[in-house]
Structure formats: structure tokens, C-alpha cells
Amino acid sequence: MSTVTEQPTPESGGLAPDPAVTPTRATGTRKLPIVLGAITVLLALRVLLTSRSGDTTFRLATDSDFVELPNIVVPAVVTAWVMIVACLALTAEAVRRMLAHARQPLWLPISFAIAWMVGFLAYEAAGSRILVVSLLGGAISLAIPLVFGALGGVLGERAGVVNIAIDGQLLFGAFAAAVTASLTGSLWAGLVAAMVAGALIALVLGLFAITYFVDQVIVGVVLNVLVVGITNFLFRQVLTPNADSLNSPERFRAVPLPVLGDIPLIGPILFRQTALVYVLYVVVALVAFALYRTRWGLRVRAVGEHPKAADTVGIKVNRTRYRTILLAGAIAGLGGAYFSLVSVAGFNREMTGGAGYIALAAVIFGKWDPIRATLAALLFGFASNLQGVLSAIGSDIPSQFMLMLPYLVTIFAVAGLVGRSRPPAADGVPYKSQ
């Protein structure tokens, strides 16, 4: 038995209720036990086929903490097997719900993920230690461009424009931020330039997709390739010969927030970050509030669901789409500044590494919701940071696999857990005024 929400056509009347995406019960019920079981088997095979000994230390504090939490020391192999048993129990619960045709609750995959990761890290770090603050804090830092890109994607698609050009907006934002910050000596001027650069790419996307009705996916892909070509040319011909004056910005440094930064465990992870992370917190809250709690947000969702109905009540559909896609591009461009003002000091060729496509996957995984997309981006950021942690503790997992890890997690999350989902009804559909 499955519950399927029919997708209304863009010409139909009335607005579909939020959330805009409704996974079918049957799809989600069947997929989850299979995915959980397969991952549990992989961990069990890892423990059975390799040899480890000793204890693993989970360090919860940093040397500068006002109040230091005690370390957690666990036997590596025993902990791994305990967590495998816990994962098996959770998988059995998922199977039971599948057979009963019951809904799979959100706590089940979350609990499984925590248990699996604790078992995996405990086993891989046998005889070593895991710095929990570095693991989670680094994940937030690496997720900065993904979250900004995902928010840009959510806004664009909520308004009915498929924003495939997120990677181009990130890359051009990184370029503009490096050059502007180098010329002005101001990191904040670099952030503004990154937003303008992202909005410029969005403007070109809107021109072709909204005004001239060109296929939005094709336009987005072409823009990504175009930005790669332009930035590569400018890097080679302009930035490289003039690196001291055009490609030598300062970097954002971590700025601990008073009081909040002293909270044990949470403080070092959330409130000892760079200024760009604090900007991220504000932007996520504003986008989530504006999209669901303001008249502007209602209009954006209206033109993305049923533009003809929106036009009937006096909403300028294409004007709303233009304004929204420009805002989305500016937000994505802001994420691009991470690469040249936070990660490293300066611009390099193709330095986004396809982050825009991972951000697009976060949009789908997050079901076109800003908060869910943010959480999905944080998951991918955690996967990116995990490869560095595994290298630091001397894991014998091949380095090639660890480089693949963020992309494998992306594929697994979107293909294995999302199930069937419905984007905004008029997503990717151009609107011609009558």
C-alpha cells in the first residue's frame, strides 16, 4: 500500500499545501531496510576481515575550554560489535515497519547513522583518539559553500527556476571575492563582490530561462562551463602575472563569541568559527522565515507551484522569478567566498571541485526546504571532513576511496533515502503571460 500525492499541473488552480514534496510511503518503507542492512553488513565485514586492538579515545574538549569534559575511552572492537548489533536491531525495526506497511519515522535513520558512525570511528581509531570538536566543527566549516549553494537552489526552484548554475555562481563568487579583497584590502568588500558575481550569473540564467524560454537545465550547464573557461583564462592571463596585487587577500580567522564559545562541546563547534559561519546562521534563519512567514515567501511559492493562478490574483510571475533568482545567485555567490577567503587565501582554477552539484543534491535530499537542505549540506560537509580525520588517525582505507567519500555519500543519500519526491509543480516550466 502506498500513498502518492498527484502532481498538479502549473495551469491548475489553487496552491498545493506545504511541504511541496511528499515521498510515497511504499517507496520509503521498502528502501530504508535494504539500505540500512547493506551498510550494516559492510561494517561487519570490515571488522571481520581486518584486525584491530586497543582502546579508542573520544576527546570532547579542547585545550582552551573553560570547563573540560572528560574523555570517553572505549574498547575499539567491542564497541564496534555493540554498535553493529544496535544497527541490526534498528534494521529489524525498519523491516517490521515495512511488513506492517507503516511509516518509517525520522528517528530511525538518524539513530542508525549515529550508531554506525560511532562503531566505525571506534574501530578505525583503535589505539588512537578522535577529536570530536575538530570532527564536527570542521564539518560545519566545510559545509559553508554547500549550505549557501543549497539555499540558492531552494529559492530558485521554489520560484520555478531550476538553478543548475550553482557551481558557476560559487566559482565566480570565489574569483570576485579574491580579486576585490586583494584590491581593497577588505574581506567584507570581497563578500559583497562575491554576492554581486553570483547575482550576475543568476541574471544571465534568468535572461535565457525566464525571458527567452530556453531549457533551464541546458542554460545552467552551459553557464557552469562558461564560468570555468572565463575564470581559467583570467587566472592564467591576469591573476598569475599579478598575484601580489590581484590574488593575495587575507583570510577570515576564527572569532570566538563571548560566553557562547565557552559552552562545553557546543561552544567550540558552533561559536568558535569564522565570521562567514555566523553570516551563514543568519542567512539560513532569514531564508526559512521569509519563505514561510512573509507575503514575499507566499508569492515565491505561488509562482513556483501555480504561476497561472498567481498571475490571476495580480502577482507578476516573471518579475517575482527574476527577483528571487537574483537573490538566490547572491546567496550562492556568498558561499563561493569561502574557497578564496576562508579555505585558502586566493583564487585557483576550478577550486570549487563540483561543490555546486553537491549543493544541488542537498536541495533534492532536503526536499526543497531551506532547513532540511541545510541539514543535508551539513551531512555532506561531515563526509568531506571525515576523509581528513581518517587520514589523520592512520586508517588503512585506500586514499582514493576517502577522496570519493563525499560523492559516495551524496549518491547514497539522494538515490537511497529520498524515495519518490515532488518538486514545486512549475519547477523548470517557463511562464508566458496571457
Side-chain angles (χ1 to χ4, degrees), residues 92-377:
E93 173 63 15
V95 171
R96 185 192 68 80
R97 289 177 174 273
M98 178 189 69
L99 296 176
H101 301 288
R103 184 180 61 88
Q104 302 286 3
L106 184 60
W107 63 263
L108 202 154
I110 292 177
S111 301
F112 179 91
I114 294 173
W116 193 95
M117 188 54 61
V118 169
F120 175 73
L121 290 176
Y123 186 74
E124 293 299 326
S128 184
R129 65 177 182 174
I130 296 291
L131 303 178
V132 176
V133 171
S134 297
L135 177 63
L136 300 180
I140 292 177
S141 180
L142 290 176
I144 291 174
L146 303 180
V147 175
F148 278 120
L151 290 176
V154 168
L155 286 176
E157 299 206 24
R158 279 292 192 167
V161 180
V162 179
N163 191 4
I164 301 294
I166 296 174
D167 199 62
Q169 293 161 358
L170 290 173
L171 186 59
F172 205 43
F175 176 85
V179 173
T180 304
S182 299
L183 289 173
T184 63
S186 170
L187 293 173
W188 295 101
L191 292 183
V192 174
M195 296 176 66
V196 173
L200 180 62
I201 301 300
L203 178 62
V204 178
L205 173 64
L207 180 66
F208 284 97
I210 300 174
T211 302
Y212 294 109
F213 313 117
V214 180
D215 186 277
Q216 297 174 10
V217 175
I218 294 176
V219 173
V221 172
V222 169
L223 283 176
N224 287 337
V225 177
L226 177 65
V227 172
V228 169
I230 291 175
T231 53
N232 282 353
F233 173 79
L234 293 176
F235 177 79
R236 183 173 60 252
Q237 299 295 328
V238 179
L239 295 192
T240 301
N242 304 282
D244 292 339
S245 58
L246 295 179
N247 198 23
S248 57
E250 297 292 329
R251 290 176 60 188
F252 278 105
R253 304 295 178 182
V255 181
L257 295 183
V259 182
L260 294 176
D262 295 328
I263 300 174
L265 189 60
I266 297 176
I269 295 173
L270 297 178
F271 304 115
R272 295 184 188 175
Q273 298 279 358
T274 62
L276 193 55
V277 174
Y278 304 139
V279 172
L280 177 65
Y281 296 159
V282 175
V283 171
V284 170
L286 288 178
V287 170
F289 177 81
L291 195 58
Y292 294 115
R293 294 290 185 268
T294 67
R295 181 180 300 177
W296 170 82
L298 179 62
R299 291 182 176 182
V300 168
R301 289 182 286 126
V303 301
E305 288 287 347
H306 302 289
K308 187 174 182 179
D311 193 9
T312 301
V313 297
I315 298 174
K316 303 296 184 182
V317 174
N318 288 338
R319 180 188 298 177
T320 301
R321 287 184 170 181
Y322 258 113
R323 290 176 176 175
T324 306
I325 198 67
L326 287 175
L327 176 61
I331 292 175
L334 191 59
Y338 164 83
F339 295 101
S340 55
L341 300 182
V342 178
S343 180
V344 296
F347 180 81
N348 206 344
R349 292 181 296 179
E350 301 178 46
M351 65 188 310
T352 58
Y357 297 103
I358 298 181
L360 188 62
V363 174
I364 299 171
F365 188 33
K367 301 177 180 177
W368 293 270
D369 177 82
I371 299 298
R372 291 179 178 180
T374 297
L375 295 177

Side-chain angles (χ1 to χ4, degrees), residues 5 8 14-22 158 301 305-306 422:
T5 302
L15 291 178
D18 278 318
V21 181
T22 305
R158 279 292 192 167
R301 289 182 286 126
E305 288 287 347
H306 302 289
R422 182 182 71 82

